[in-house]
Amino acid sequence: MEHSKNICGLFVAHGNSCTKIYASGGQNVHDRVPALDCDHEEADTRLLHANHAMSSGYKTIIVDSPDIDVAVLLCSHAATLQANLIFRTGIKSKIRYVNITRISEQFRDDFCSALVGAHAITGCDSVSSYTDH
């Protein structure tokens, strides 16, 4: 069920599945979203969820992850995701909300796009650091 205005929902990726949780008629509803099922372990490969939420009419998308790779990817795609992107990160009493849209608006699109490559070379999850290259 897709909505176009005054919508609030939570998409939860768990295992290989994705579930949308929302209120309807005073009831909490949960629907599986087969289009977002994914067998990728890494959160950064699940950014399809943000695109799906945007195309479903959501105006603000909060992505929750402790992984800086996710924030870099969000920033690099902020221009194409026409929604207010918020990155929630941290643990317990150190939770932070970072407005990715506002950050990406401070830079040109080509700079934000280049962040992915720079991050991959200098220290993404699979590269420990840039040395002697």
Side-chain angles (χ1 to χ4, degrees):
M1 173 187 242
E2 301 297 338
H3 305 283
S4 61
K5 60 182 180 175
N6 298 325
I7 56 176
C8 182
L10 175 66
F11 289 82
V12 180
H14 50 96
N16 292 347
S17 299
C18 182
T19 301
K20 177 182 174 185
I21 303 168
Y22 60 98
S24 178
Q27 300 289 321
N28 289 327
V29 180
H30 58 31
D31 291 332
R32 190 165 160 259
V33 185
L36 295 178
D37 286 355
C38 178
D39 63 356
H40 297 207
E41 182 178 324
E42 293 290 322
D44 38 352
T45 59
R46 292 187 179 222
L47 289 182
L48 303 171
H49 296 76
N51 188 49
H52 181 272
M54 183 220 38
S55 64
S56 297
Y58 290 87
K59 302 297 181 207
T60 298
I61 300 167
I62 301 173
V63 177
D64 185 7
S65 176
D67 194 344
I68 192 66
D69 293 359
V70 175
V72 169
L73 286 170
L74 281 171
C75 193
S76 70
H77 293 288
T80 57
L81 292 171
Q82 299 299 311
N84 186 28
L85 296 174
I86 307 294
F87 179 62
R88 180 184 184 271
T89 190
I91 56 171
K92 297 185 181 182
S93 64
K94 296 185 181 197
I95 298 293
R96 296 176 307 284
Y97 291 86
V98 180
N99 189 325
I100 297 294
T101 300
R102 188 173 297 154
I103 290 171
S104 69
E105 288 171 351
Q106 301 300 314
F107 300 101
R108 295 189 338 241
D109 290 344
D110 58 343
F111 176 83
C112 290
S113 296
L115 282 177
V116 175
H119 184 60
I121 292 169
T122 60
C124 67
D125 286 346
S126 59
V127 177
S128 59
S129 66
Y130 176 77
T131 58
D132 298 329
H133 297 305

